[in-house]
């Protein structure tokens, strides 16, 4: 056999020596349990490539995608284009983190364990929540797991979710709910309070998917008064400037952690943030790192409260999660350490300032208006004289990327997300493109 | 030998309450030192109504970049990883993670694209995912694939929802409430079944390490959703009566779920689709060399037979007649989405790169070498440890340290002693059916001399268990830390940094 696998260390002499030691002539002698007719099928896969060929092939594929930096870019929501300090990937992608497994052997995994403990500590401070787990798959599965946790805690089977929660999160929640057969009721945020009765939890998002600030306190109070929990969907940068979930009465705080130094990568891998009050810790899903000491009295860290987990409790576990997004948690820790409170606030403030400046400019375009009644954060929905979808496509033709509807039946328009990456010239380009396109369509409509 | 740091570094321990390998970020903090990566004017605060503004303090540590870099570098040096040494963790397939995969995933055209962009602006990414769906289907002998699940366990849950939808379409969902798993199953299997609202029936293994066919048949009935089966199973053994097992489940109206965690034994060796499975997930963070990231991210594509395709989560990628790629429309019977967006795209890019690098022959060679390496190690260790089920293994095998346990050193002690020998320990105490289990998976990327060194270390530890078990119990002595007190960690949980009082 020649080496078709470039990462194989085995020479033919190695293989011969190994076969000899095993006492066989060919590996096929070990495969007698496999039905003969199924053994060694032709797969019809392409032949292998050299590293240079594969690099060239994939660079060509990558070149057929339009990266965020290649022009004005205002798409956001759970996934945001944020500035990533140069040191973040250098640290988080070190081989010792990148190529380790889950820290099953704490004596040789203190790097992972302490870094994840740092993540838990930083997020706990940012969200003002008692306990943060090591990560869920993403923001959407964190929402679904929060609902499951509320159901376990309260013994109720109905969850009520605001329609202004990101649609991807609501969709995922509805899919998960098919498992145990939960009732999921979607209502406008303003109707959450009226629907608290009998609910395991009220799920509210602040700032909501359109960017609006939401008064969470009365919602949390209503949930508590009815014997349920309050789950708040939050965003890490917003928590730097807004009163965090822990101060608003949330029992569980969840969200998408991608904006914390993780590349957008078409939606994954990202970071599901999951935090809860201390009293609920034994109902939490996922891995949690705790502090302890070693036999010599030196501080160390271990995966703890493992009797919640699948490898110990099997069908009685709080979740099936095993592989999670630990490297994303380590990335977020490095990001927060580098940004510090000042940098995090600065990034958040810049998004807020740019969004408000843009909202004012776009509102003066005839037919356009900010589609929110109250205050907003760093994104906003714009009502436009043309359907949002059409405007999104027309803008894309001019290389200006925005988002349209968020699958909310009653609200059409485009959604503009700003961050510290939004440049003034991008904003100018957006405003003039919107002016041009909407004026053009008004003329076509008038001419008809 | 390991490259991990074992000494306390010179500038650590400065402000920690207890002796520590490395201070925590909050212990390095010094007010006024924060980084200057982004500047922003406080004027923006006026745009936020007073009642919404953060009143809680925000005591995140303030540290400058050079310190942060040293901190995380020091932490990294405390880790054992594939990049530092052999990692024979059974069931985890800790093969070498090629660097070109990482570089490609970091290209701006892949890393800096947003999932809400129009299809027209991400044609290269959609094509990559479309081709990956096809490659995976061909490799597993299935008809369709979804790339959405984020990991193996997520794929299990997804598949059980698909099963539920399938039975429901046939008007058969109400009575089918029970999932069967063998006693060798990974913990995620029963946990996924429970998340689906199902009860779990565990079926025992027979004397050759197969699922016991008679017990399986006895457990089957018209209330069964399906069977979750890992093959080769978690003993590293190929199920000898696999087709009869699958037939029995199908005859009872059930479906067979393939847990593909052990797919590294089967590349080009056999296709699960030819063996009776209705679907199979793939842990690309095992089989397709994507780095495990200290606990994730992974990706768990799910490949299915045509009869299950209508129920798969959306979006899935389709190709138009003009050769362009699209997120396909949501099929009416789809279970919905199981997460935001497409899946762990950055991981999938790495898996695709790996598959294209190795190609059909390279992949087949990888499995061949993985099987050979496992049997080679088994041959060297069979005299020193008990072999749980003594027949040729596939890509991994399970030993028992029962003999050593009687001598005074448990499987855990053996594992810790291996750390002192410079190796990451095998998986211990899994599968549950083997007492004092040591589950060893060398993979195809360890050179023969490393395999020999590992075997020699295992043999030395077995010798020590015989002659000086106390020394084995005292291990590790040469790791960054000695054994940790996990009991008090759980009894008095300290789950975040707290200001010393
Ligand atoms: C046999 C088996 N099944 C399922 C899983 C779960 O896969 P994941 O960790 O990707 O969720 C694992 C991995 O840990 C496994 O070894």
């Amino acid at each position: 056999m020649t080496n078709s696998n470039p990462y194989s260390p085995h020479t033919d002499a190695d293989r011969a020596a190994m076969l000899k030691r095993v006492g066989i002539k060919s590996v096929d002698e070990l495969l007698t349990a496999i039905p003969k007719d199924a053994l060694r099928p032709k797969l019809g896969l392409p032949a292998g490539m050299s590293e240079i060929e594969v690099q060239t092939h994939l660079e060509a594929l990558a070149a057929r995608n339009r990266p965020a930096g290649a022009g004005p870019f205002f798409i956001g929501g759970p996934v945001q284009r944020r500035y990533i300090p140069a040191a973040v990937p250098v640290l988080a992608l070190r081989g010792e983190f990148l190529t380790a497994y889950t820290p099953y052997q704490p004596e040789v995994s203190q790097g992972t364990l302490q870094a994840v403990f740092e993540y838990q500590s930083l997020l706990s401070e940012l969200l003002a929540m008692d306990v943060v787990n090591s990560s869920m798959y993403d923001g959407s599965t964190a929402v679904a797991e929060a609902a499951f946790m509320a159901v376990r805690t309260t013994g109720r089977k109905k969850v009520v979710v605001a329609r202004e929660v990101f649609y991807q999160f609501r969709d995922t929640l509805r899919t998960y709910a098919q498992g145990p057969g939960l009732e999921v009721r979607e209502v406008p945020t303003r109707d959450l309070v009226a629907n608290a009765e009998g609910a395991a939890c009220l799920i509210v998002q602040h700032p909501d998917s359109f960017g609006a600030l939401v008064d969470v306190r009365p919602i949390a109070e209503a949930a508590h008064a009815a014997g349920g929990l309050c789950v708040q969907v939050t965003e890490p940068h917003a928590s730097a400037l807004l009163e965090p979930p822990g101060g608003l009465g949330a029992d569980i705080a969840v969200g998408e952690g991608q904006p914390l130094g993780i590349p957008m990568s078409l939606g994954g891998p990202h970071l599901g943030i999951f935090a809860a009050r201390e009293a609920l810790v034994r109902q939490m899903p996922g891995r949690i790192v705790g502090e302890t000491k070693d036999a010599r009295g030196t501080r160390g860290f271990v995966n703890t409260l493992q009797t919640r987990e699948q490898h110990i409790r099997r069908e009685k576990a709080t979740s099936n999660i095993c592989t999670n997004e630990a490297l994303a948690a380590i990335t977020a820790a490095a990001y927060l350490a580098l940004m510090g409170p000042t940098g995090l606030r600065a990034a958040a403030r810049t998004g807020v300032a740019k969004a408000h400046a843009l909202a004012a400019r776009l509102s003066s375009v005839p037919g356009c208006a900010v589609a929110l009644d109250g205050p907003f954060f760093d994104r906003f929905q714009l009502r436009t004289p043309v359907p949002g979808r059409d405007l999104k496509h027309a803008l894309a033709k001019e290389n200006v990327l925005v988002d349209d509807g968020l699958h909310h039946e009653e609200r059409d328009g485009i959604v503009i997300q700003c961050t510290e990456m939004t440049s003034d010239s991008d904003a100018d380009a957006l405003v003039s493109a919107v002016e041009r396109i909407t004026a053009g369509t008004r003329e076509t409509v008038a001419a008809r | 030998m390991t490259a991990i740091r074992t000494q306390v570094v010179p500038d650590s321990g400065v402000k920690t309450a207890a002796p520590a390998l490395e201070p925590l970020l909050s212990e390095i903090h010094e007010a006024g030192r924060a980084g200057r990566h982004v500047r922003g004017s406080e004027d923006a605060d006026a745009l936020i109504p007073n009642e919404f503004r953060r009143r809680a303090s925000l005591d995140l540590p303030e540290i400058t970049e050079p310190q942060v870099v040293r901190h995380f570098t020091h932490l990294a040096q405390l880790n054992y990883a594939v990049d530092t040494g052999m990692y024979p963790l059974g069931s985890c397939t800790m093969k070498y993670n090629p660097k070109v995969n990482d570089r490609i995933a970091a290209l701006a055209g892949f890393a800096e694209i947003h999932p809400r962009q129009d299809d027209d602006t991400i044609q290269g990414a959609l094509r990559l995912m479309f081709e990956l769906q096809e490659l995976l289907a061909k490799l597993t002998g299935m008809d369709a694939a979804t790339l959405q699940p984020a990991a193996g366990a997520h794929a299990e849950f997804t598949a059980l929802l698909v099963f539920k939808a399938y039975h429901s379409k046939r008007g058969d969902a109400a009575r089918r409430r029970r999932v069967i798993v063998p006693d060798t199953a990974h913990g995620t299997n029963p946990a996924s079944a429970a998340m689906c609202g199902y009860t779990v029936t565990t079926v025992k293994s027979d004397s050759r390490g197969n699922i016991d066919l008679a017990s399986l048949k006895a457990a089957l009935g018209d209330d069964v959703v399906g069977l979750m089966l890992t093959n080769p199973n978690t003993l590293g053994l190929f199920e000898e009566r696999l087709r009869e097992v699958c037939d029995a489940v199908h005859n009872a109206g059930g479906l067979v779920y393939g847990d593909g965690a052990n797919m590294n034994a089967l590349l080009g060796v056999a296709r699960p689709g030819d063996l009776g499975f209705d679907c199979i997930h793939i842990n690309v963070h095992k089989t397709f060399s994507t780095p495990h990231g200290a606990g994730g991210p992974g990706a768990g594509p799910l490949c299915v037979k045509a009869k299950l395709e209508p129920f798969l989560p959306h979006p899935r990628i389709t190709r138009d007649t003009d050769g362009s790629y699209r997120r396909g429309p949501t099929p009416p019977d789809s279970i919905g989405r199981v997460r935001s967006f497409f899946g762990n795209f950055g991981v999938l890019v790495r898996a695709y790169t790996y598959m294209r690098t190795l190609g059909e022959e390279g992949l087949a060679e990888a499995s061949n070498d993985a099987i050979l390496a496992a049997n080679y190690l088994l041959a060297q260790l069979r005299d020193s440890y008990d072999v749980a089920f003594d027949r040729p293994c596939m890509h991994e095998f399970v030993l028992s340290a029962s003999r050593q346990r009687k001598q005074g050193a448990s499987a855990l002690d053996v594992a810790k002693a291996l750390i002192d020998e410079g190796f990451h320990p095998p998986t211990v105490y899994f599968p549950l059916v083997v007492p004092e289990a040591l589950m060893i998976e060398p993979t195809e990327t360890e050179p023969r001399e490393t395999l020999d060194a590992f075997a020699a270390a295992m043999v030395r530890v077995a010798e020590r268990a015989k002659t000086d078990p106390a020394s084995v119990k005292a291990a590790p002595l040469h790791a960054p830390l000695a054994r940790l007190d996990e009991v008090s960690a759980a009894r008095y949980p300290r789950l975040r940094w707290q200001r010393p009082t």
Side-chain angles (χ1 to χ4, degrees):
Chain A
M1 203 186 276
T2 54
N3 277 342
S4 316
N5 170 9
Y7 309 114
S8 168
H10 301 306
T11 63
D12 284 345
D14 287 327
R15 291 195 183 96
M18 288 159 75
L19 287 167
K20 185 152 179 265
R21 182 70 174 82
V22 179
I24 52 174
K25 295 222 156 45
S26 139
V27 167
D28 283 6
E29 290 174 47
L30 303 167
L31 305 179
T32 52
I34 303 178
K36 287 278 164 311
D37 59 295
L39 191 63
R40 300 207 182 278
K42 274 243 76 61
L43 303 173
L45 303 185
M49 292 193 222
S50 69
E51 182 166 320
I52 188 167
E53 286 167 335
V54 103
Q55 175 86 27
T56 308
H57 171 64
L58 277 130
E59 275 175 4
L61 285 180
R64 302 199 50 216
N65 304 321
R66 194 281 211 186
F73 187 90
F74 299 91
I75 306 177
V79 180
Q80 298 173 4
R81 181 181 178 222
R82 291 267 173 198
Y83 184 70
I84 301 177
V88 171
V90 170
L91 297 174
L93 300 181
R94 279 185 66 105
E96 300 95 327
F97 291 129
L98 186 67
T99 71
Y101 203 78
T102 302
Y104 290 141
Q105 298 287 341
E107 298 86 349
V108 287
S109 311
Q110 283 302 303
T112 299
L113 288 159
Q114 182 168 332
V116 172
F117 185 84
E118 306 269 28
Y119 163 80
Q120 294 174 187
S121 304
L122 294 164
L123 264 285
S124 151
E125 176 65 23
L126 181 60
L127 304 176
M129 297 294 290
D130 300 326
V131 191
V132 178
N133 78 6
S134 302
S135 69
M136 308 308 292
Y137 301 133
D138 72 359
S140 76
T141 69
V143 169
E145 292 265 18
F148 278 26
M149 177 165 150
V151 165
R152 276 195 302 281
T153 308
T154 60
R156 300 175 179 177
K157 292 202 93 176
K158 181 174 81 174
V159 301
V160 181
V161 59
R163 202 170 288 160
E164 289 78 13
V165 169
F166 289 130
Y167 80 86
Q168 298 90 350
F169 294 11
R170 286 181 283 127
D171 282 1
T172 302
L173 171 64
R174 275 198 304 271
T175 307
Y176 267 59
Q178 294 162 32
L182 305 182
E183 180 194 345
V184 178
R185 182 173 303 171
E186 288 194 11
V187 303
T189 302
R190 67 181 119 78
D191 294 343
L192 280 174
V193 166
N195 280 278
E197 210 46 55
C201 61
L202 300 179
I203 307 178
V204 56
Q205 181 170 325
H206 163 57
D208 76 15
S209 61
F210 301 98
L213 301 186
V214 175
D215 190 1
V216 175
R217 282 192 193 91
I219 295 165
E221 280 160 18
H224 295 155
L229 302 184
C230 174
V231 177
Q232 185 187 335
V233 181
T234 182
E235 283 166 51
H237 287 80
S239 287
L241 299 186
L242 303 177
E243 181 67 357
L248 298 174
D251 303 287
I252 304 174
V254 289
E256 176 52 66
Q258 174 275 334
L260 296 173
I262 296 150
M264 297 193 290
S265 293
L266 201 65
H270 289 168
L271 167 65
I273 297 173
F274 196 107
R277 295 199 179 284
E278 188 119 46
L280 298 171
V281 62
R282 284 175 206 269
Q283 288 299 336
M284 275 176 87
R287 304 202 188 272
I288 301 177
V289 175
E291 183 186 324
T292 188
K293 287 189 169 50
D294 81 346
R296 295 187 287 254
T298 307
R299 178 173 69 190
F301 301 89
V302 291
N303 274 329
T304 193
L305 304 178
Q306 297 193 68
T307 51
R308 300 166 299 112
E309 290 190 61
Q310 47 78 26
H311 59 288
I312 312 265
R313 288 296 290 282
R314 298 176 79 81
E315 64 266 29
K316 298 204 173 59
T318 55
S319 168
N320 66 343
I321 193 166
C322 179
T323 292
N324 47 78
E325 312 292 310
L327 194 71
I330 295 171
T331 307
Y335 173 86
L336 286 170
L338 286 157
M339 296 287 280
T342 321
L344 190 68
R345 277 198 208 99
R349 281 174 175 142
T350 309
V352 171
K354 302 219 171 197
H356 284 76
L358 247 184
R361 291 177 70 187
L362 287 168
S363 298
S364 67
V365 176
C368 294
V370 173
L372 304 169
D373 306 330
F376 58 94
F377 197 67
D378 59 1
R379 81 179 150 258
F380 60 92
Q381 189 187 28
L382 188 74
R383 207 173 298 125
T384 53
V386 260
R389 204 178 161 73
D390 297 348
L391 183 55
K392 169 178 169 165
H393 290 313
L395 285 167
K397 287 218 175 65
E398 305 204 14
N399 198 30
V400 176
L401 302 194
V402 302
D403 206 344
D404 62 338
L406 291 145
H407 293 208
H408 190 303
E409 311 72 46
E410 296 146 34
R411 300 173 65 160
D412 187 52
I414 58 171
V415 176
I416 303 296
Q417 171 86 52
C418 293
T419 70
E420 69 281 10
M421 299 296 278
T422 310
S423 73
D424 292 341
S425 62
D426 289 351
D428 294 345
L430 173 65
V431 174
S432 60
V434 170
E435 274 170 354
R436 221 171 20 251
I437 294 164
T438 54
T441 49
R442 270 199 312 280
E443 275 151 31
T444 4
V445 173
R448 260 194 218 133
Chain B
M1 283 292 123
T2 55
I4 46 181
R5 185 162 61 79
T6 56
Q7 278 113 48
V8 172
V9 291
D11 60 340
S12 75
V14 269
K15 289 179 211 165
T16 62
L21 291 167
E22 175 72 16
L24 287 159
L25 288 166
S26 297
E27 295 161 346
I28 311 172
H29 157 88
E30 200 59 69
R33 272 199 188 146
R36 310 240 183 319
H37 298 88
V38 179
R39 291 166 201 266
S41 155
E42 289 181 21
D43 297 350
D45 293 2
L47 299 166
I48 300 169
N50 197 28
E51 68 270 26
F52 286 104
R53 286 188 210 153
R54 183 167 176 128
R55 250 174 293 268
S57 60
L58 183 60
D59 287 337
L60 294 175
E62 296 176 53
I63 312 167
T64 46
E65 179 166 326
Q67 293 173 290
V68 173
V69 168
R70 280 202 189 136
H71 175 71
F72 281 94
T73 303
H74 291 164
L75 289 183
Q77 288 173 327
L78 298 172
N79 265 8
Y80 193 103
V82 172
D83 279 3
T84 69
M86 178 176 169
Y87 214 125
L89 200 62
S91 211
C92 301
T93 313
M94 297 299 277
K95 62 170 76 176
Y96 173 66
N97 309 137
K99 301 306 170 194
V100 68
N101 301 353
D102 299 330
R103 186 166 69 188
I104 284 170
L107 292 172
F110 291 137
E112 290 168 31
I113 49 177
H114 192 290
R116 290 285 303 165
Q117 285 179 225
D118 275 348
D119 290 348
D120 291 340
T121 67
I122 50 169
Q123 281 296 302
L126 294 175
R127 179 174 155 195
L128 183 150
M129 289 190 284
F130 180 83
E131 289 184 7
L132 184 58
Q133 286 174 183
E134 298 217 306
L135 291 173
L136 294 171
K138 282 183 181 156
L139 188 97
T140 55
M142 297 285 169
D143 301 310
T146 169
L147 305 177
Q148 237 188 40
H154 201 209
E156 294 168 22
F157 178 62
T158 303
L160 290 174
L161 289 176
V162 165
F163 284 11
K164 189 171 258 189
Y166 169 88
H167 287 309
S168 153
K169 189 84 185 169
R170 296 156 54 101
D172 209 13
R175 66 174 171 181
R176 295 197 180 266
R177 315 276 334 149
R178 205 151 54 81
V179 169
I180 300 183
V181 302
D183 57 6
T184 49
H186 193 260
T188 50
N189 293 185
S192 299
M195 276 175 75
C196 247
Y198 293 139
T199 59
V200 176
T201 302
T202 305
V203 168
K204 68 178 172 37
S205 299
D206 69 14
S207 61
R208 294 183 53 80
N210 300 303
I211 184 169
D212 188 74
L213 191 55
S215 308
L216 171 68
K217 284 183 174 160
L220 285 168
D222 64 5
D223 63 336
V224 165
V225 175
L227 166 72
M228 300 180 84
L229 194 67
T230 311
N231 181 64
N233 62 28
T234 61
L235 295 162
L237 303 174
F238 197 98
E239 289 287 336
E240 289 173 303
R241 298 169 75 181
L242 184 56
R243 284 200 173 136
E244 286 169 81
V245 165
C246 295
D247 286 348
V249 176
H250 289 143
N251 289 339
L255 295 162
V256 184
Y257 179 77
D259 177 332
N262 290 342
M263 197 64 205
N264 207 43
L266 295 186
L267 308 176
V269 171
R271 285 182 297 220
D274 296 340
L275 299 168
F277 289 97
D278 297 301
C279 66
I280 185 155
H281 84 242
I282 289 176
N283 309 66
V284 308
H285 43 298
K286 300 179 182 183
T287 311
F288 295 131
S289 82
T290 74
H292 201 277
L302 176 67
C303 308
V304 301
K305 290 282 192 188
K307 66 180 172 191
L308 297 179
E309 182 174 3
F311 309 103
L312 286 181
H314 67 86
R316 290 180 52 237
I317 317 303
T318 57
R319 183 165 52 198
D320 279 0
T321 40
D322 67 355
S324 64
Y325 298 85
R326 308 260 149 240
R327 299 161 228 234
T330 306
D333 291 331
S334 164
I335 59 167
R337 61 168 69 248
V338 293
R339 57 165 295 159
S340 300
F341 311 118
F342 300 97
N344 277 350
F345 178 72
V347 178
L348 299 168
V349 170
R350 290 175 169 89
Y352 175 87
T353 304
Y354 179 75
M355 292 181 81
R356 295 303 308 268
T357 301
L358 271 67
E360 174 147 357
E361 282 183 26
L363 292 169
E365 186 185 291
S367 279
N368 226 53
D369 285 343
I371 295 168
L372 181 56
N375 281 280
Y376 178 66
L377 269 187
L378 176 57
Q380 297 192 53
L381 295 175
R382 64 166 61 259
D383 293 337
S384 306
Y385 295 85
D386 296 341
V387 183
F389 294 89
D390 202 359
R391 57 181 173 100
C393 66
M394 295 294 284
H395 67 308
E396 65 187 355
F397 57 97
V398 180
L399 300 176
S400 167
S402 291
R403 201 190 310 171
Q404 286 72 26
R405 167 100 205 221
K406 280 187 210 106
Q407 293 158 348
S410 66
L412 186 73
D413 299 326
V414 169
K416 302 303 182 195
L418 279 167
I419 292 176
D420 281 341
E421 296 276 354
F423 289 98
H424 194 282
T427 296
V428 289
Y429 301 104
F430 178 74
L432 307 179
V433 294
V434 176
E436 301 297 316
L438 295 162
M439 183 189 212
I440 299 170
E441 178 177 10
T443 84
E444 69 278 12
T445 56
E446 293 305 329
R448 185 157 67 97
E449 51 277 23
T450 307
L451 299 174
D452 290 343
F454 175 72
M458 287 281 293
V459 170
R460 269 195 302 277
V461 172
E463 264 322 297
R464 271 170 58 201
K466 214 183 304 175
T467 55
D468 185 10
S471 79
V472 180
K473 283 201 108 48
L477 299 175
H478 306 301
L481 291 182
R483 288 194 209 188
L484 288 115
D485 184 353
E486 303 198 19
V487 174
S488 58
R491 190 166 299 157
Y492 312 105
R494 292 171 65 89
L495 310 177
R496 64 171 194 276
W497 178 78
Q498 273 157 329
R499 197 177 311 285
T501 42

